């Protein structure tokens, strides 16, 4: 219940005011921070998390805290989608993309169009959650002038890539 209330508050804040995207964010540092923050949760779920980043920083113009929330939401979803023993990969590439991939069952094409709707969770989704996380991610990425790609991962699973426009 706390998580749902927290997500509703985030969405309300995002609806009321665009997040500050005027700072400079190193996506490599942000990804390291998300992976470090989420590692205990992921391990407790019986999964692993790894970071793959290009050498050196990848700076974009944006808001650290809102982007952290977006990537954290993607990692949480990947943890729910991945089978026990699965690996969640967070990857950063230049000039300004960050992706989260899992080894779950994937997302069918018809559902990809609805993934970012509030409260929509798919017909076969039995994992805990409210269907708000991806709506939050979409709002944050839109505020940064970016876009989200949802692709099937070779060998099974899904890759969510945030392409952020504000490369610094």
């Amino acid at each position: 219940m706390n998580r749902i209330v927290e997500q509703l508050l985030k969405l309300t804040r995002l609806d009321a005011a665009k997040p500050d995207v005027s700072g400079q964010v190193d996506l490599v540092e942000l990804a390291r921070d998300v992976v470090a923050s989420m590692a205990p949760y992921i391990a407790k779920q019986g999964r692993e998390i790894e970071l793959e980043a290009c050498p050196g920083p990848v700076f974009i113009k944006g808001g650290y805290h809102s982007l952290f929330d977006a990537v954290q939401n993607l990692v949480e979803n990947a943890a729910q989608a991945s089978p026990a023993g699965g690996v969640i990969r967070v990857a950063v590439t230049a000039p300004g993309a960050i992706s989260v991939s899992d080894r779950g069952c994937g997302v069918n094409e018809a559902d990809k169009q609805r993934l970012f709707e509030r409260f929509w969770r798919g017909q076969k989704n039995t994992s805990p959650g409210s269907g708000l996380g991806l709506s939050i991610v979409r709002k944050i990425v839109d505020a940064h002038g970016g876009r989200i790609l949802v692709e099937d991962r070779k060998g099974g699973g899904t890759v969510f890539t945030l392409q952020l426009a504000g490369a610094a």
Side-chain angles (χ1 to χ4, degrees):
M1 184 61 99
N2 286 342
R3 180 72 175 142
I4 293 170
V5 171
E6 180 183 310
Q7 287 185 317
L8 283 169
L9 286 171
K10 281 183 186 175
L11 268 174
T12 301
R13 286 185 199 114
L14 288 168
D15 285 342
K18 186 176 169 181
D20 179 11
V21 297
S22 64
Q24 188 175 39
V25 178
D26 176 2
L27 290 180
V28 174
E29 178 183 341
L30 179 126
R32 276 191 202 117
D33 292 348
V34 171
V35 169
S37 168
M38 295 298 294
Y41 169 79
I42 300 298
K44 192 173 183 180
Q45 301 297 315
R47 289 146 181 83
E48 296 178 29
I49 188 166
E50 61 185 29
L51 174 63
E52 179 182 312
C54 52
V58 175
F59 289 108
I60 63 149
K61 185 177 176 187
Y64 176 89
H65 296 291
S66 59
L67 289 171
F68 185 98
D69 285 345
V71 176
Q72 183 178 29
N73 264 311
L74 293 178
V75 170
E76 288 171 348
N77 287 353
Q80 290 179 358
S82 292
V87 176
I88 297 154
R89 175 174 290 138
V90 179
V92 179
T93 55
I98 187 165
S99 63
V100 176
S101 58
D102 64 57
R103 289 287 186 189
C105 62
V107 178
N108 70 50
E109 283 301 316
D111 289 347
K112 285 180 184 176
Q113 301 302 315
R114 300 195 63 200
L115 280 176
F116 301 96
E117 292 178 19
R118 292 178 186 192
F119 302 108
W120 190 85
R121 297 179 27 113
Q123 294 175 346
K124 297 180 183 178
N125 191 336
T126 58
S127 62
S130 61
L132 293 172
L134 290 176
S135 295
I136 292 169
V137 173
R138 162 69 45 93
K139 284 273 193 187
I140 291 167
V141 171
D142 287 350
H144 283 80
R147 65 187 190 135
I148 306 170
L149 302 175
V150 181
E151 302 169 301
D152 297 327
R153 182 176 180 180
K154 292 179 183 175
T158 306
V159 181
F160 284 81
T161 302
L162 310 182
Q163 292 184 330
L164 302 162

